[in-house]
Amino acid sequence: MPTSRTAKTRNKHRGSSLRSFLKEEGVLKEVEAAALKRALALEVADLMEKGDFNKSTLAAEMRTSRAAINRILDPNNTSVTLTTLNKVARSLGRKLKIELVPV
């Protein structure tokens, strides 16, 4: 269905990227942090399943509480420290790797 020229000019975001839209709206940093945390939480949950860990056994391995494990697995909680991430990685037989890459 052809779009009229006026419809294209009315929508200032038409043709822009999601990244530029989020930046214009002022929420890019928050969305990126949430996406990273969601990916991390999913990966930890997957590794727990593969390694036959439940929350209690992982907490015992890390010498922490189940509440801390819940925070790690909560995709909306972005306040997990590097120390905690390193502990969970080691407990799951992994090494934490953090890399700064060009935008």
Side-chain angles (χ1 to χ4, degrees), residues 37 41 55 65-75 77 80:
K37 180 54 169 56
K55 291 177 186 179
S65 65
R66 283 189 60 200
I69 303 303
N70 287 333
R71 285 191 295 275
I72 293 165
L73 295 173
D74 179 2
N77 187 339
V80 179

Side-chain angles (χ1 to χ4, degrees), residues 44 62 84-96:
V44 169
M62 290 176 58
T84 303
L85 292 177
N86 194 39
K87 276 182 168 181
V88 74
R90 297 288 179 184
S91 296
L92 293 170
R94 300 287 190 211
K95 180 179 173 184
L96 182 64

Side-chain angles (χ1 to χ4, degrees), residues 1 13-14 16 21-22 29 45 51 63-64 71 87 89 96:
M1 177 174 172
H13 300 295
R14 186 176 203 112
S16 66
F21 170 73
L22 294 172
K29 291 179 184 178
R63 294 189 172 105
T64 191
R71 285 191 295 275
K87 276 182 168 181
L96 182 64

Side-chain angles (χ1 to χ4, degrees), residues 29-89:
K29 291 179 184 178
E30 293 84 5
V31 170
E32 285 180 337
L36 286 171
K37 180 54 169 56
R38 180 172 294 263
L40 180 69
L42 289 171
E43 186 171 359
V44 169
D46 186 47
L47 289 170
M48 284 175 63
E49 189 177 317
K50 286 179 182 175
D52 207 24
F53 283 93
N54 60 30
K55 291 177 186 179
S56 297
T57 57
L58 184 58
E61 179 75 27
M62 290 176 58
R63 294 189 172 105
T64 191
S65 65
R66 283 189 60 200
I69 303 303
N70 287 333
R71 285 191 295 275
I72 293 165
L73 295 173
D74 179 2
N76 298 317
N77 187 339
T78 58
S79 63
V80 179
T81 66
L82 291 176
T83 302
T84 303
L85 292 177
N86 194 39
K87 276 182 168 181
V88 74

Side-chain angles (χ1 to χ4, degrees), residues 15-28:
S16 66
S17 69
L18 177 60
R19 181 179 194 79
S20 64
F21 170 73
L22 294 172
K23 190 173 183 178
E24 286 175 21
E25 295 296 314
V27 295
L28 178 62

